[in-house]
Amino acid sequence: MRAVVCTHGQLEVLERDAPDPGPGQVRIEVLRCGICGSDLHARDGCDEWADMAARAGYDRFARSDQAIVFGHEFCGEVAEHGPRCRRKTLAGTHVVALPLLRGDRGVDTIGLSVEAPGAYAEQTVVQESLMLAVPNGLAPHIAALTEPMAVAWHAVRRSEIRKRTVAIVIGGGPVGLGVILRLKAKGVRTVVASDYSPARRALARSCGADVVVDAAAGSPYADLDDRGHLSDLPAALELAVGTREKLERLPFGWWHAWRLGEALGAAPKHPVIFECVGLPGVIESIIDGAPLFSRVVVVGVCVGADEFTPAMAINKEIDLRFVLGYSPLEFRDTLLMLAEGKVDASPLVTGTVGLDGVDAAFSTLGEADRHAKILIAPGSSGATLKA
């Protein structure tokens, strides 16, 4: 079979042996595979990432001197079951799968480990227990978005956002766009999106963002004062003193009214901010600009060192949450939402290439004004990017 192999940052289309499915594994013919931002980073920065993963106890992450086949966002067709499979999904069925594979040394991440080659190839192997049949005739190019959209769904769920809470999405790349789609599907009424790129701002609007801000010209937090948010420390101090003075006029102890208010959920308004950039300095800029009591959900993956001023976050009482991946249930629910039309992720797909066009696609994705998600169609001989 043909596959795109990365070694020392070089992407080459090579002939490789077709994979043999092991116990509990299934070989699939890859129909579509998304190029993820983590793949772009891993091309030249996988050693740094591997060192970090080793600190967390996983020592089989991709290294630059290894022959790595990327690709963890995919849709394929069942070709062969390995031994000890339950075989509930027939050959020829379109499927997606969580990108985890159990091998002799443990569970590995498909597409980000030499132990589990990914879907930048005509064929790959998945774990049968993590494989799901694609329902409702969902097209492969949309089914392949199950994985990144599950990431977005997990982030939105972890945010515990309510429909009346203002959501602010920093970064209009595929991750940010996915978060916008999931927020609107959840019924969040006001979603603010911020990005430097005109094209990505347009995509954010097409994904449902209610307010779109040019990050070079304005702040996504600019109008929150009018919505009852506290923008600075003096406003919070005034709220504390003013509330206490108002409650003093009641004919009973003010503390009873305060406790009742807390029990009923009375609290200063706060937005939920999604950091979807993953570059050093972004968390610091959010903490500096965000209203008091904001909840910040970090979805973007910054692999290198970063820093922020804890005292600023403390003074504003910022709630900082980090998210990773998704659960098998979130993955399954995401697939069904796509198949049932509850989420329209089609605006994310801005191009398709064959295996011979992957190297050029990596370069193109570095230009934010042109593309969001580029898919690979391994069965296509085309090297030219197609919309």
Side-chain angles (χ1 to χ4, degrees):
M1 70 166 189
R2 299 171 78 235
V4 177
V5 180
C6 183
T7 310
H8 294 297
Q10 300 299 311
L11 296 171
E12 298 181 276
V13 181
L14 302 176
E15 291 285 340
R16 289 166 60 98
D17 291 337
D20 281 327
Q25 298 176 354
V26 177
R27 178 170 59 85
I28 64 171
E29 300 278 350
V30 180
L31 300 173
R32 292 291 187 277
C33 179
I35 297 176
C36 179
S38 60
D39 300 337
L40 301 180
H41 178 85
R43 178 181 185 174
D44 296 306
C46 62
D47 288 328
E48 183 180 27
W49 205 336
D51 290 340
M52 178 192 65
R55 288 168 57 192
Y58 179 68
D59 62 357
R60 297 188 299 280
F61 197 89
R63 293 280 182 181
S64 60
D65 60 349
Q66 297 174 326
I68 303 296
V69 180
F70 295 138
H72 57 274
E73 309 173 355
F74 53 82
C75 172
E77 181 179 296
V78 173
E80 179 187 2
H81 292 83
R84 299 205 295 273
C85 279
R86 303 182 70 181
R87 301 174 184 269
K88 288 187 175 182
T89 307
L90 301 177
T93 303
H94 287 190
V95 295
V96 295
L98 277 76
L100 297 172
L101 189 69
R102 185 187 299 281
D104 295 337
R105 301 176 62 193
V107 176
D108 290 294
T109 52
I110 292 176
L112 292 171
S113 171
V114 72
E115 306 281 345
Y120 284 21
E122 292 175 332
Q123 301 174 23
T124 194
V125 166
V126 302
Q127 199 72 29
E128 185 190 38
S129 61
L130 300 178
M131 185 177 73
L132 296 169
V134 175
N136 295 352
L138 185 65
H141 73 283
I142 300 298
L145 300 176
T146 301
E147 200 278 342
M149 290 301 294
V151 171
W153 184 225
H154 176 69
V156 169
R157 292 190 71 217
R158 281 276 289 125
S159 77
E160 298 182 278
I161 193 168
R162 297 182 178 181
K163 293 181 179 180
R164 293 180 179 270
T165 303
V166 174
I168 302 174
V169 180
I170 307 298
V175 173
L177 296 174
V179 168
I180 292 170
L181 286 168
R182 301 317 298 258
L183 286 167
K184 297 309 293 185
K186 184 178 174 63
V188 176
R189 297 184 181 183
T190 304
V191 177
V192 180
S194 175
D195 199 279
Y196 289 95
S197 161
R200 288 192 170 181
R201 292 198 300 273
L203 282 170
R205 195 171 292 282
S206 70
C207 288
D210 302 285
V211 180
V212 177
V213 177
D214 181 352
S219 167
Y221 320 111
D223 297 328
L224 293 182
D225 285 352
D226 298 336
R227 298 178 183 271
H229 297 81
L230 302 176
S231 61
D232 53 39
L233 192 55
L237 299 177
E238 177 58 39
L239 177 65
V241 175
T243 302
R244 173 67 180 85
E245 291 174 343
K246 290 177 181 178
L247 295 181
E248 183 68 25
R249 302 167 190 165
L250 296 174
F252 50 85
W254 63 268
W255 53 92
H256 296 302
W258 196 296
R259 286 198 180 97
L260 177 60
E262 287 187 345
L264 295 175
K269 289 185 177 181
H270 65 275
V272 175
I273 304 167
F274 296 86
E275 191 281 283
C276 300
V277 179
L279 292 176
V282 177
I283 295 176
E284 172 84 331
S285 69
I286 291 174
I287 291 173
D288 282 348
L292 276 68
F293 311 114
S294 294
R295 179 173 298 148
V296 180
V297 181
V298 182
V299 194
V301 180
C302 179
V303 178
D306 197 2
E307 62 179 28
F308 62 87
T309 306
M312 180 62 80
I314 290 168
N315 283 331
K316 289 187 169 185
E317 203 162 303
I318 299 291
D319 179 2
L320 190 60
R321 299 185 179 187
F322 295 84
V323 300
L324 171 69
Y326 40 80
S327 70
L329 179 59
E330 289 168 332
F331 188 90
R332 179 259 184 194
D333 288 348
T334 297
L335 174 62
L336 290 184
M337 289 178 190
L338 290 170
E340 293 169 0
K342 295 180 179 179
V343 179
D344 179 12
S346 59
L348 268 64
V349 180
T350 56
T352 304
V353 296
L355 294 175
D356 295 309
V358 171
D359 191 16
F362 267 55
S363 299
T364 299
L365 284 168
E367 304 170 21
D369 285 333
R370 295 186 60 187
H371 284 280
K373 177 68 67 177
I374 295 177
L375 299 181
I376 302 167
S380 169
S381 58
T384 304
L385 188 66
K386 297 179 180 179

